Amino acid sequence: MAKTKFDGSDGRVRAVIERVTPSVDGGRFAAKRIAGDEVIVEADCFTDGHDTLVCLLLWRREDEQAWREAPMAALGNDRWRGSFTAASVGRYRYTVTAWVDHFLSWRHDFARRIEAEDLRVAAQVGAGLIDEAAQRAQGGERKRLKTWAADLRAVTDALALKALGLDEELAAIARHYPDRRYAATFPVEHPLVVDRERARFSSWYEMFPRSAAPEPGRHGSFRDCEARLPYIAKMGFDVLYFPPIHPIGRVNRKGVNNAVEAAPGDAGSPWAIGSVEGGHKALHSELGTIEDFRRLAASAQTHGMELALDIAFQCAPDHPYVAEHPTWFRWRPDGTVQYAENPPKKYQDIFPFEFESEDWRELWQELADVIRYWAGEGVRIFRIDNPHTKPFPFWEWAITELKREYPDAIFLAEAFTRPKVMHRLAKLGFTQSYTYFAWRNSKHELIEYFTELTQGPGREYFRPNAWPNTPDILTEYLQFGGRPAFIVRLVLAATLAASYGIYGPAFELIEAAPREPGTEDYLDSEKYEIRGWDRDAQHSLSDLIARVNGARRDNPALQSDASLRFYPIDNDSLLCYSKSDAELENLVVTVVNLDPHHVQSGWVELDLAALGIDAQTPYQMHDLLSGARFLWSGARNFVQLDPQRAPAHVFALRRKVRTERNFDYFL
Amino acid sequence: MAKTKFDGSDGRVRAVIERVTPSVDGGRFAAKRIAGDEVIVEADCFTDGHDTLVCLLLWRREDEQAWREAPMAALGNDRWRGSFTAASVGRYRYTVTAWVDHFLSWRHDFARRIEAEDLRVAAQVGAGLIDEAAQRAQGGERKRLKTWAADLRAVTDALALKALGLDEELAAIARHYPDRRYAATFPVEHPLVVDRERARFSSWYEMFPRSAAPEPGRHGSFRDCEARLPYIAKMGFDVLYFPPIHPIGRVNRKGVNNAVEAAPGDAGSPWAIGSVEGGHKALHSELGTIEDFRRLAASAQTHGMELALDIAFQCAPDHPYVAEHPTWFRWRPDGTVQYAENPPKKYQDIFPFEFESEDWRELWQELADVIRYWAGEGVRIFRIDNPHTKPFPFWEWAITELKREYPDAIFLAEAFTRPKVMHRLAKLGFTQSYTYFAWRNSKHELIEYFTELTQGPGREYFRPNAWPNTPDILTEYLQFGGRPAFIVRLVLAATLAASYGIYGPAFELIEAAPREPGTEDYLDSEKYEIRGWDRDAQHSLSDLIARVNGARRDNPALQSDASLRFYPIDNDSLLCYSKSDAELENLVVTVVNLDPHHVQSGWVELDLAALGIDAQTPYQMHDLLSGARFLWSGARNFVQLDPQRAPAHVFALRRKVRTERNFDYFL
C-alpha cells in the first residue's frame, strides 16, 4: 500500500472557520471604519460531531504585536459574531480563532445525563478535564479547580454529583483556562483602516483662491481668501478645497475658455503645474507666501474649517522636474518630452510622469514627498487629481506610507472613470471617492446607484462624496433646470451622501451657462481665468445651503450612509428616502421633487416597522428647510412639492406628538 | 523627510487582476468540472490610463509544471473571459496574467493619428517597439520585424506610413513577441478537480445484498446479487450501492426493529462493523468470498453498472482494531471504551474512533488504507457514512491523497446536517452530496432549494444527489401519499437532480409502513434483519422507473443541473421546470402534481425566449413517461394531472412540428 503524506499541520485541529466579514477581496485590502466605531466581525465556525465550540475574535492595532481577544456569540446557522471598539485612528488587524472545548462539551453532556452510573463515570472524566484546567490556572483558582476535581471523584450520590458537576461559578473559572492547543485560527489577518470622523462626514466647498479678491480683475490671494472665510463658514462647510496653488507653467499655457494659445496676461490653468518659480512644493507667487498660507490655514481652523489641497501629479513643460529629472518623463525620438495625448487630441501644456521609468523608485519617493511636504505644513486633506492615470501600486504604497506617518490624512480620489477602476482606488486606500452622482438624475437611477453604494460590497471601503457640480462638470440638469434644479441637486447630494461638496461661488450663484451647447464646460471657466463673483447677490442660495448644512450638523442620521433606505411613492418625479442613526433615535426623511419645472404630488409609503414607528400613533414631520411641521400617521401620507417654492422636504421625524396625555391634569 | 520603504515588487507592474472565477473561498478549495468540459474562467482586468491590456488564462494539470496559455477576450466593463478544455480527470490549476502592451497601445493610437508630423514621430516610436519585439523573435519572423521597423523609419509619406504602421499581418507577428517583463499574475493558483462523467450524472440503486436471496429467510450472497443484476439494470440504474459488507459485530448487537438486545440468530446492523472474522477490509462470510465479490463486480460492469461501497468509519466492540490499536479509541475511567452517545441516548454497539489520539497519523493512514484496499479491488465509488462526525481535515487529506492515486474515484457524502457543514464537505473534496431533497415537498420549498443548489455559490463544488428514500428515511410524504407520492418523488428526484438514487426494493415496491407513527424508520427495517421481497409484484414501479431512467439516459438535458429553470404556474400544487443542454438542442420540461390525492390543473407559463422557442410557431410536447404527444403554442398552456393515472409529465420539447411545409409538393 502506498504511504501517503501529511502537510505538517496537526490533524487534531478540528474547528473550521470560514467567511470572516468584513472582508475586502478576502483580506487583500482593508475595510474602513471611524475611530470610536464598534467593529462587528462575523464568521462561520463549526466542527465535526456535536462538541462545543468556543470562538474568539482576535484584534490588534497593526503597530502592536499582541492580539486582544473578544468573545464571539453564536447567531444560529453556525454564524458567530463578536466586536471590538476601534478607539483611535490607524491600521488594525483582526481574525478569528476557535477550538473544540472538551470541558464545555463535557458539561453540555453532563447536564443531559440521567443514570447514576453514567453520571459517576462522566464525573471521573470531568475531573480529569478540570485537573488539566487547574494545571493551566494559578493561585487560588488553581486550588479551587483542584478541589472541584477531587470532589467530583469523591462524591457518589448521583443528585449531589450532578449539582456539583454543573456548578456555575466553578465552571466560569474552568472556562478561563481552556485547552487551546488545537485551536484553529483563520489564516488571513484582515486589515482595517480607522479614520477620523471627517472621513465619513464632510461638507466640501471648492473655490479658486485667485478669484477671491473683492475687486473684479485683481488676482486674489490667500489674504483675500481669509476675508472670505466667514462667508463660507456661515454656509456650514467644514472642508475648504483649493485647486492647485503652485506656480503655473508659461510654456504652452492655455488661454481663456481653453484657447490653445494664451494671450499676454492670461492666468493659465492651475493644473499646469510648475515654472521657473518652482513646482509642487512651491506657491504661486501672486497667491502669497508660505506664511500667508499658514495664516489662512490657522484662520480656517478657527472658523471650523480645514484646508484641502489638490494633488495633480503632472507638469507644465517648464516645471523644474523636467530639467532636473529627465528620466521621469518619456522622451520622443525627436528629442522632446511626450506631452499628454489621447490621439488625435493633444494636451501640449501637460507632461505626464513616465511611471515605467528605470528611476520609478525615485519618482515615487518624490511624489510621496510632495504630499509629505504639505502634510508637514499641517494639511491633512488631499484631493487627488485623476489618480486613475497613475499606477495603482503607486497609490497603494504612497497612501499606506503617508497614513503611517499621518494616520489622520484623508485622500479623496477624483476618478471619474469605469466602476472597477474607481473601486480599486477605494480599496487600495483612498479615503473618499468622487461618484457618478452628477449624472444620476432620475428616480430609478438615484435609487439604483445609492442602493449599490450603501448596500453593495463597496460599503466596506468606498466612501462616496457627491458633487452636484465641479469646475469641469456643469450638468445639463443644472444648465436647463434653473434655480429649482440647483436646490434639488444640493439637497440630494447633502442628504443622500454623508460627504458632499459644491464648487462655488458658481454653485450658490446659480452659474448655469456652458461654454457651448452639449458640453459640461463652464463658459468663462475659472480654470482659465480669474473671475469676480457677486457673493451678496439676491439670488444666492447661500442661506439655503446654510440650512441644509445645519440640518446635516444637527442630525447624526445624515452623517453616515449605511442606513439609507428608499420608499415607494406613486409618482416617478418624487423621490423619498430616510436615514437614521444606529439607535433609530434620530430619523430624517427626505422627499425631493426631481422635476424642476412642475408641481408634483403623491403618496409616500414609509416602512414604519423598520423606522421603529408605531403604526397607530401620529408622528411629526418637521421640515428643516422651511421650518414647517406636518402631522403624519400610518405608513401612507400625501406630499406635494412646488419647485418654485420648495422642491424638497428634509424632515426630522419626531415620534412624540403632543396630545392630551402630555398635560399634567390628564393623569 | 522620512524615506519610505518599498516591498520589493516592481512598481512598473501596472496591470490589475481581480475577482477570478470560478473561485471557491478565494481558491482555498477546488471548483469541480467533468472531463471534456470547457472550463470558462473570467477575471476583472484593467490598468491605469488608456493603455491596451493583454490578458491570458494560464492553466495546467497539477502534475505538470509548465503553464499553458489561452487568450482572454474583453466582455465589457473590464471583465475578461477565456477557456480551456479539461480533457482528462485529475487536478488542474488556473490563474490569469495580464500586462500593458506597448506595441498594441502604440498601434491603437497610431490608427487615430491624423497629422503627418505626428505620424512620423509616432512611426519612430513604433519602430523602436518593433525592434524590441524582433529581439524576442527568431529566424524569419525576427527578420520581418526588423525590416518593418526599418521601413517605418524610412518612409516619409504620411499615408504610406499609416498603412505600413497598421499592417495586419506584421502586427500579428509582433503580437507573438510581447514584452511581458512587467506582467501581473493573479497570486492565487485556483485549483480545479476534474471528474469523470458519472460524478455529474448517476442513477443509484441501494440494496442490502443479504436480502438478495430468492428464498425468504435465507441470507443472501454476492451470488444472489449477481442474479439480481438484470432486474436492476433493466430499471436503468448505473450505480449499485451496498451498505457495509464487512463482518458484523456480535457484542451489543442490535435486534430486529433496533431492539437493544439481539435475539439469537438476529442478523445485526451492517454498520456495526467488525468481529473476530475481521474489520473494514474483510467480507461478511455469509455474503461470500473476495472471489465472489470480484465476480459480482465484473458482472455488474457487463450490465452497465458499477458497484458503490459504504465506508462507515466506526467499529463494533469486537472489531479487531479495538485490541490491536487501543489508542485509536477513547477510554473511559472505568476501563471501557467510550461508545457512541448523544446523552441521554447511547449506542453501545458502536465505538467511534478517537481522532484526537496521539496516534492520529496512524489512524488516518489506516482509514485511508481501507478505501485504498477496496479501490485496489476495482471499486471507484464510495458512499461515506456520516462524514460530518469525523474531522474535516481528515477528509480533505484522505480524498486528496486517494484521488491522486485514483482520480476517477467518486465520494458521496452522506451528511444530513447543517448547511454549512454539508457545504464544507463538498468544498474539501466530496464528489457528490446527499441533500435535503427528502424533506422538500411543497412547491415553494422545491423551487427555493433547487434554485439555491443550481444557481447559488455551491454550484461550483456541491453536486446534489437526491434520494426520495434511504434505509433511514421513509418520509411522511411517502407514508401517507400512496403510489402517487412514490411516483411524484421519483420523478422529482430524477428530473431535478442529475444524480439521484432510491433504496430498493422498498421503493419500487411502495413500502410505506413506519416502525411507529411520527418516525421515519421503516417497520421491519433491513438495517436489522433480512427481508424477502416480491420483486415481480403487480404494483411494482419498476417499469415506470425504467422509463424515467430511460428519459435521463436519452436526454442530455437531464444529465446536468446548471440549466434548471422554474416557470410560473397558477396552481400551488403544480410544479413546472425545464432543463436543457448547453446548445438548447435538447429541452425537457417537467410538470409535477405535488398533491398525491387530487386532480390539479393550471396554466403553465414558459419563458420561450430563454428556451429559444419562436412564440408564433407551435411546438410538440412529447411525454416520455406515457408516450402521449401534445401540441403547445405560445408561452401559456394548460396542464391537468390526475395522481391516480399519471402525477407527472416529463416532456421532451420538440421544436419542429410537421405542417404542410414538410410535404414535398408544398414548395
Side-chain angles (χ1 to χ4, degrees):
Chain A
M1 302 264 168
K3 281 294 159 189
T4 47
K5 59 178 191 282
F6 298 95
D7 68 359
S9 58
D10 197 300
R12 290 167 290 188
V13 175
R14 290 167 50 210
V16 166
I17 304 166
E18 294 186 334
R19 211 164 59 92
V20 173
T21 59
S23 177
V24 180
D25 289 14
R28 164 71 179 81
F29 298 106
K32 297 188 180 122
R33 294 292 185 270
I34 298 297
D37 275 358
E38 183 192 7
V39 180
I40 294 172
V41 176
E42 293 188 2
D44 292 343
C45 304
F46 49 83
T47 186
D48 58 280
H50 299 101
D51 285 333
T52 302
L53 213 59
V54 173
C55 302
L56 294 181
L57 166 58
L58 303 180
W59 66 278
R60 60 181 173 88
R61 284 186 57 90
E62 210 174 68
D63 50 19
E64 294 173 351
Q65 286 302 308
W67 291 108
R68 295 157 197 253
E69 297 180 346
M72 295 185 83
L75 302 175
N77 192 23
D78 294 317
R79 192 83 181 146
W80 294 70
R81 177 186 289 165
S83 72
F84 66 96
T85 299
S88 53
V89 297
R91 287 179 67 93
Y92 289 70
R93 295 272 174 175
Y94 56 87
T95 189
V96 170
T97 191
W99 64 88
V100 172
D101 193 292
H102 291 299
F103 169 73
L104 292 178
S105 299
W106 169 83
R107 193 166 187 271
H108 173 273
D109 284 355
F110 197 75
R112 276 149 196 82
R113 292 187 190 279
I114 296 162
E115 294 170 25
E117 182 52 26
D118 247 20
L119 283 162
R120 274 181 219 112
V121 176
Q124 305 289 316
V125 175
L129 294 168
I130 292 161
D131 266 339
E132 286 172 29
Q135 292 305 313
R136 294 184 288 267
Q138 308 221 319
E141 294 196 322
R142 170 181 285 200
K143 210 168 158 187
R144 288 195 67 186
L145 291 174
K146 276 178 167 288
T147 307
W148 190 20
D151 291 348
L152 278 169
R153 288 196 177 90
V155 173
T156 54
D157 176 68
L159 276 184
L161 201 52
K162 187 146 185 175
L164 181 64
L166 296 178
D167 187 288
E168 292 279 359
E169 195 194 333
L170 290 165
I173 298 173
R175 244 179 185 148
H176 283 139
Y177 301 100
D179 177 3
R180 291 170 66 167
R181 279 177 301 164
Y182 307 130
T185 300
F186 195 73
V188 179
E189 298 180 1
H190 281 86
L192 178 80
V193 164
V194 174
D195 292 308
R196 59 192 168 114
E197 177 69 19
R198 192 152 287 166
R200 175 146 72 199
F201 171 54
S202 55
S203 311
W204 293 52
Y205 187 79
E206 174 175 7
M207 64 171 277
F208 284 78
R210 69 186 181 187
S211 296
E215 312 88 334
R218 174 163 74 74
H219 196 291
S221 67
F222 293 137
R223 292 284 179 139
D224 296 317
C225 292
E226 233 181 297
R228 299 293 175 203
L229 292 174
Y231 166 80
I232 304 160
K234 197 177 163 202
M235 284 190 283
F237 292 101
D238 50 31
V239 178
L240 174 58
Y241 148 49
F242 292 156
I245 53 177
H246 317 301
I248 296 174
R250 289 187 188 83
V251 177
N252 295 334
R253 179 179 287 192
K254 292 289 171 75
V256 298
N257 281 310
N258 202 20
V260 175
E261 293 198 20
D266 276 355
S269 162
W271 283 276
I273 296 172
S275 71
V276 288
E277 283 94 8
H280 287 74
K281 297 175 189 168
L283 288 172
H284 188 66
S285 58
E286 289 174 275
L287 290 172
T289 64
I290 190 72
E291 286 71 32
D292 294 332
F293 178 80
R294 289 172 186 156
R295 215 178 99 150
L296 171 61
S299 183
Q301 203 168 9
T302 66
H303 284 86
M305 287 189 290
E306 205 176 328
L307 292 191
L309 289 193
D310 196 319
I311 301 293
F313 283 144
Q314 57 191 22
C315 298
D318 38 338
H319 193 297
Y321 284 155
V322 180
E324 290 166 16
H325 301 282
T327 63
W328 292 356
F329 301 87
R330 189 182 297 183
W331 291 80
R332 309 201 314 163
D334 63 358
T336 62
V337 173
Q338 178 65 62
Y339 45 82
E341 59 172 356
N342 188 11
K345 287 192 221 161
K346 303 176 177 189
Y347 308 94
Q348 284 142 321
D349 58 330
I350 299 293
F351 288 179
F353 289 108
E354 165 60 313
F355 280 90
E356 293 195 22
S357 164
E358 289 294 324
D359 295 328
W360 63 270
R361 283 182 189 78
E362 291 69 28
L363 173 61
W364 283 24
Q365 202 68 259
E366 173 63 15
L367 297 183
D369 273 350
V370 165
I371 299 174
R372 193 174 281 116
Y373 172 84
W374 292 107
E377 286 296 336
V379 178
R380 289 291 183 278
I381 307 187
F382 302 95
R383 178 269 198 195
I384 308 289
D385 188 76
N386 282 329
H388 56 295
T389 62
K390 289 92 194 170
F392 299 95
F394 164 70
W395 292 119
E396 185 170 17
W397 169 83
I399 293 175
T400 306
E401 291 293 321
L402 288 164
K403 289 198 75 158
R404 213 186 301 280
E405 298 160 46
Y406 300 100
D408 54 347
I410 289 174
F411 296 88
L412 167 63
E414 188 250 4
F416 292 108
T417 179
R418 307 190 307 283
K420 287 168 187 169
V421 173
M422 290 172 65
H423 274 260
R424 179 77 178 193
L425 292 166
K427 285 186 211 172
L428 62 79
F430 279 90
T431 320
Q432 297 186 349
S433 305
Y434 277 70
T435 64
Y436 303 142
F437 168 71
W439 306 285
R440 296 292 180 271
N441 290 292
S442 74
K443 179 173 180 170
H444 171 74
E445 288 168 346
L446 286 161
I447 291 177
E448 186 183 45
Y449 188 50
F450 277 87
T451 299
E452 178 200 318
L453 286 174
T454 57
Q455 317 291 326
R459 72 187 184 282
E460 302 291 3
Y461 58 83
F462 188 101
R463 295 199 189 100
N465 194 327
W467 290 68
N469 74 330
T470 77
D472 291 311
I473 305 172
L474 172 65
T475 65
E476 288 184 291
Y477 188 89
L478 293 179
Q479 290 177 34
F480 301 124
R483 178 186 183 83
F486 278 73
I487 298 176
V488 163
R489 299 302 295 177
L490 172 78
V491 170
L492 288 172
T495 57
L496 283 169
S499 286
Y500 89 109
I502 60 170
Y503 151 55
F507 190 86
E508 67 263 28
L509 296 178
I510 313 184
E511 179 91 350
R515 193 164 72 215
E516 52 188 289
T519 76
E520 292 190 335
D521 298 327
Y522 277 92
L523 179 66
D524 304 330
S525 167
E526 282 183 286
K527 283 177 70 177
Y528 308 106
E529 62 187 284
I530 297 165
R531 287 284 300 270
W533 297 103
D534 178 9
R535 292 175 176 79
D536 301 321
Q538 192 66 36
H539 65 277
S540 172
L541 296 173
S542 61
D543 284 350
L544 178 76
I545 292 169
R547 265 171 286 150
V548 168
N549 282 331
R552 287 165 52 85
R553 188 190 53 234
D554 296 342
N555 290 277
L558 296 176
Q559 297 171 12
S560 65
D561 290 326
S563 68
L564 180 68
R565 292 294 178 278
F566 292 93
Y567 299 100
I569 178 164
D570 58 350
N571 180 330
D572 278 350
S573 291
L574 294 178
L575 181 70
C576 177
Y577 48 92
S578 74
K579 283 188 163 185
S580 60
D581 61 357
E583 299 76 24
L584 288 182
E585 277 169 16
N586 181 244
L587 296 171
V588 173
V589 175
T590 304
V591 188
V592 181
N593 178 1
L594 303 173
D595 176 355
H597 306 294
H598 306 99
V599 177
Q600 298 285 353
S601 60
W603 289 85
V604 171
E605 189 164 344
L606 297 180
D607 181 347
L608 296 187
L611 294 170
I613 298 170
D614 176 22
Q616 310 303 324
T617 311
Y619 48 97
Q620 191 193 90
M621 299 297 262
H622 176 195
D623 189 336
L624 302 171
L625 304 185
S626 69
R629 291 166 197 261
F630 302 81
L631 204 59
W632 283 21
S633 66
R636 279 173 64 84
N637 289 277
F638 184 77
V639 173
Q640 179 166 302
L641 287 165
D642 179 348
Q644 291 305 322
R645 293 180 49 221
H649 290 306
V650 178
F651 289 126
L653 191 161
R654 308 200 193 283
R655 281 201 199 76
K656 285 188 188 153
V657 174
R658 190 173 172 87
T659 72
E660 73 280 7
R661 291 171 196 275
N662 296 111
F663 292 94
D664 287 345
Y665 47 81
F666 182 87
L667 298 173
Chain B
M1 303 263 170
K3 280 296 159 189
T4 48
K5 60 179 189 283
F6 299 96
D7 68 0
S9 59
D10 196 302
R12 289 167 291 188
V13 174
R14 291 168 48 210
V16 166
I17 305 166
E18 294 187 334
R19 213 165 57 93
V20 174
T21 59
S23 179
V24 181
D25 290 14
R28 164 71 179 82
F29 298 106
K32 296 186 181 128
R33 292 293 184 273
I34 297 298
D37 275 358
E38 184 192 7
V39 180
I40 294 171
V41 176
E42 293 187 2
D44 292 343
C45 304
F46 48 86
T47 186
D48 58 280
H50 299 101
D51 285 334
T52 302
L53 214 60
V54 174
C55 302
L56 294 181
L57 166 57
L58 303 181
W59 66 278
R60 61 179 173 89
R61 285 186 57 90
E62 209 174 68
D63 50 19
E64 295 171 352
Q65 285 303 309
W67 290 107
R68 294 157 198 254
E69 298 180 346
M72 296 185 83
L75 302 175
N77 192 21
D78 293 317
R79 191 83 181 145
W80 295 70
R81 177 187 288 166
S83 72
F84 66 94
T85 299
S88 54
V89 297
R91 288 179 68 93
Y92 290 70
R93 294 273 174 174
Y94 56 88
T95 189
V96 170
T97 192
W99 64 88
V100 172
D101 193 292
H102 291 299
F103 169 74
L104 293 178
S105 299
W106 169 82
R107 193 168 187 272
H108 174 272
D109 283 355
F110 198 74
R112 276 152 195 80
R113 292 186 192 279
I114 295 162
E115 293 170 26
E117 183 52 28
D118 246 21
L119 282 162
R120 275 182 218 112
V121 175
Q124 306 288 318
V125 175
L129 294 168
I130 292 162
D131 267 338
E132 286 173 29
Q135 294 304 317
R136 293 184 288 267
Q138 307 221 321
E141 294 195 323
R142 170 182 286 202
K143 210 169 158 187
R144 289 196 66 185
L145 291 174
K146 275 178 168 289
T147 305
W148 189 21
D151 292 348
L152 279 170
R153 287 194 178 93
V155 173
T156 53
D157 176 68
L159 276 183
L161 202 52
K162 186 145 186 178
L164 180 66
L166 295 178
D167 187 287
E168 292 278 0
E169 195 194 330
L170 289 165
I173 297 173
R175 244 179 185 147
H176 283 139
Y177 302 99
D179 178 1
R180 292 170 65 168
R181 278 177 302 163
Y182 307 130
T185 301
F186 195 74
V188 179
E189 298 180 0
H190 280 86
L192 178 80
V193 164
V194 175
D195 291 308
R196 59 192 167 114
E197 178 67 22
R198 192 151 286 166
R200 174 144 74 198
F201 171 53
S202 56
S203 310
W204 293 52
Y205 186 80
E206 174 174 7
M207 64 170 278
F208 284 79
R210 69 186 182 188
S211 296
E215 313 87 335
R218 173 163 75 73
H219 195 292
S221 67
F222 292 136
R223 294 284 181 137
D224 295 318
C225 291
E226 233 180 297
R228 300 292 175 205
L229 291 175
Y231 166 81
I232 303 160
K234 198 177 160 201
M235 284 191 281
F237 292 101
D238 51 30
V239 179
L240 175 57
Y241 149 48
F242 293 156
I245 53 176
H246 316 300
I248 296 173
R250 289 187 188 83
V251 177
N252 295 336
R253 178 179 285 193
K254 291 289 171 74
V256 299
N257 281 312
N258 202 19
V260 175
E261 293 200 18
D266 276 356
S269 163
W271 282 277
I273 296 171
S275 72
V276 287
E277 283 94 5
H280 286 74
K281 298 175 189 167
L283 288 171
H284 188 66
S285 58
E286 289 175 277
L287 289 173
T289 64
I290 190 70
E291 286 72 30
D292 295 332
F293 178 80
R294 290 170 186 160
R295 214 177 99 148
L296 171 62
S299 182
Q301 203 167 10
T302 67
H303 284 86
M305 286 188 291
E306 206 177 325
L307 292 189
L309 290 194
D310 196 319
I311 301 294
F313 282 142
Q314 56 191 22
C315 299
D318 38 339
H319 193 298
Y321 285 155
V322 180
E324 291 166 15
H325 301 282
T327 63
W328 293 357
F329 300 88
R330 188 183 297 184
W331 292 81
R332 310 205 310 166
D334 62 359
T336 62
V337 173
Q338 177 65 61
Y339 45 81
E341 60 172 355
N342 188 10
K345 288 193 218 161
K346 303 175 178 190
Y347 308 94
Q348 284 143 321
D349 58 330
I350 300 294
F351 287 0
F353 288 107
E354 165 60 312
F355 280 90
E356 293 195 23
S357 164
E358 290 292 325
D359 296 328
W360 64 269
R361 283 181 188 79
E362 292 70 26
L363 173 61
W364 281 26
Q365 202 68 258
E366 173 63 15
L367 297 182
D369 274 351
V370 165
I371 298 174
R372 194 175 279 117
Y373 173 84
W374 292 107
E377 286 295 338
V379 177
R380 289 290 182 279
I381 307 186
F382 301 94
R383 177 270 199 193
I384 308 291
D385 189 77
N386 282 330
H388 56 294
T389 61
K390 289 90 194 170
F392 299 94
F394 165 70
W395 292 120
E396 186 171 17
W397 169 83
I399 293 175
T400 306
E401 291 293 321
L402 289 163
K403 290 198 74 158
R404 213 186 300 280
E405 299 161 47
Y406 300 100
D408 54 346
I410 289 173
F411 296 88
L412 167 62
E414 189 251 2
F416 293 108
T417 179
R418 307 188 307 283
K420 287 167 187 171
V421 173
M422 291 172 64
H423 274 261
R424 178 77 179 193
L425 292 166
K427 284 186 213 173
L428 62 78
F430 278 91
T431 321
Q432 297 186 350
S433 305
Y434 278 70
T435 64
Y436 303 142
F437 168 72
W439 306 285
R440 296 293 180 271
N441 291 291
S442 74
K443 180 174 180 170
H444 172 73
E445 288 168 344
L446 286 162
I447 292 177
E448 186 184 45
Y449 188 50
F450 277 87
T451 300
E452 178 200 318
L453 286 175
T454 57
Q455 316 292 327
R459 73 189 184 282
E460 302 291 1
Y461 59 83
F462 188 102
R463 294 199 190 98
N465 194 326
W467 289 69
N469 75 329
T470 77
D472 292 311
I473 304 170
L474 172 65
T475 65
E476 288 183 292
Y477 187 89
L478 293 178
Q479 291 176 33
F480 301 123
R483 178 186 184 82
F486 279 72
I487 298 176
V488 163
R489 299 302 295 177
L490 173 77
V491 171
L492 288 172
T495 58
L496 284 169
S499 287
Y500 90 109
I502 60 169
Y503 151 55
F507 190 86
E508 66 263 28
L509 296 178
I510 313 182
E511 179 90 353
R515 193 166 74 215
E516 53 188 288
T519 76
E520 292 189 335
D521 298 327
Y522 277 92
L523 178 65
D524 304 331
S525 167
E526 282 184 286
K527 284 177 67 175
Y528 309 106
E529 64 186 283
I530 296 164
R531 287 283 301 270
W533 297 103
D534 178 10
R535 291 173 177 81
D536 301 321
Q538 192 66 36
H539 67 277
S540 172
L541 295 175
S542 61
D543 285 350
L544 178 76
I545 292 169
R547 265 173 286 151
V548 168
N549 281 333
R552 286 164 53 84
R553 189 190 53 234
D554 297 341
N555 290 277
L558 297 175
Q559 296 171 13
S560 65
D561 290 326
S563 68
L564 180 68
R565 292 295 178 278
F566 292 93
Y567 298 101
I569 179 164
D570 58 349
N571 179 329
D572 278 351
S573 291
L574 294 178
L575 182 69
C576 177
Y577 49 91
S578 73
K579 282 188 164 186
S580 60
D581 60 0
E583 298 77 23
L584 287 182
E585 278 169 15
N586 182 245
L587 295 172
V588 173
V589 175
T590 304
V591 188
V592 181
N593 178 1
L594 303 172
D595 175 356
H597 305 294
H598 307 98
V599 177
Q600 298 286 354
S601 59
W603 289 85
V604 171
E605 190 164 344
L606 297 180
D607 181 346
L608 296 187
L611 293 170
I613 298 170
D614 175 23
Q616 311 303 325
T617 311
Y619 48 95
Q620 191 193 88
M621 298 296 264
H622 176 198
D623 189 337
L624 302 171
L625 303 185
S626 69
R629 289 165 199 262
F630 303 81
L631 203 59
W632 282 20
S633 67
R636 281 173 63 85
N637 288 276
F638 184 77
V639 174
Q640 178 165 303
L641 288 165
D642 178 350
Q644 291 306 320
R645 293 180 49 222
H649 290 306
V650 178
F651 289 126
L653 190 161
R654 306 198 196 284
R655 281 201 198 78
K656 286 187 186 153
V657 173
R658 192 174 172 85
T659 72
E660 72 282 6
R661 291 167 197 278
N662 297 111
F663 292 95
D664 288 343
Y665 47 80
F666 182 85
L667 299 173

